[in-house]
Amino acid sequence: MSGDSQGMSHWFDDEAGPVVRPYAMTRGRTTSAAQHRLDLIAVVVTELHAEDPEADHSLSPEHVDIVGLCRDAPQSVAELSAELDLPVGVVRVLIGDLVDEELVHVTRPVPPAELPDESILRDVISGLRAL
């Protein structure tokens, strides 16, 4: 029998530490109720009334990390994904959980189509200068 001294082979590197699959972090879920609002540039902000998330034992370490990062400064979904080194899909589900728990809220930048036209802004500036 080949292998290590116990007769078993390892399928992971001992230096890597524990391996947690993304579907385990989301408990197998791939969507959340709030996910339709969570594009890459949506900004996540910790609620003012959110107390210490570490005291809530129903939250995963990743949930706690998201609340902590957003408490320091509002973060986009893309920034959170990069900071936590997690897939965007996982981060969206975790953020959705936090929205449901009212620990964070999500704001979206104004879509470019809804921004005022540049020519209107120039006309306003010209009008103000004429005063």
Side-chain angles (χ1 to χ4, degrees):
M1 209 164 157
S2 65
D4 63 8
S5 62
Q6 298 173 348
M8 297 169 38
S9 64
H10 291 287
W11 60 272
F12 62 91
D13 182 3
D14 288 332
E15 298 293 320
V19 177
V20 178
R21 299 281 182 215
Y23 65 83
M25 287 181 218
T26 63
R27 291 177 240 136
R29 296 168 297 137
T30 58
T31 61
S32 69
Q35 192 163 358
H36 67 278
R37 299 187 315 256
L38 298 176
D39 55 12
L40 291 176
I41 59 172
V43 177
V44 182
V45 181
T46 300
E47 294 287 357
L48 295 176
H49 68 274
E51 295 181 18
D52 183 16
E54 291 182 17
D56 186 346
H57 298 294
S58 68
L59 297 177
S60 71
E62 294 79 18
H63 286 114
V64 173
D65 290 343
I66 290 170
V67 173
L69 288 169
C70 296
R71 179 171 282 139
D72 294 340
Q75 304 278 321
S76 72
V77 172
E79 289 170 324
L80 288 169
S81 177
E83 183 69 31
L84 298 171
D85 196 25
L86 292 174
V88 172
V90 170
V91 172
R92 285 179 174 154
V93 173
L94 296 175
I95 292 169
D97 295 343
L98 294 171
V99 169
D100 290 344
E101 294 291 323
E102 298 180 353
L103 294 172
V104 301
H105 68 272
V106 178
T107 61
R108 296 187 63 208
V110 178
E114 294 179 19
L115 291 173
D117 186 25
E118 187 177 332
S119 64
I120 293 173
L121 294 175
R122 288 182 196 278
D123 291 343
V124 169
I125 290 171
S126 297
L128 290 172
R129 286 185 182 151
L131 293 176

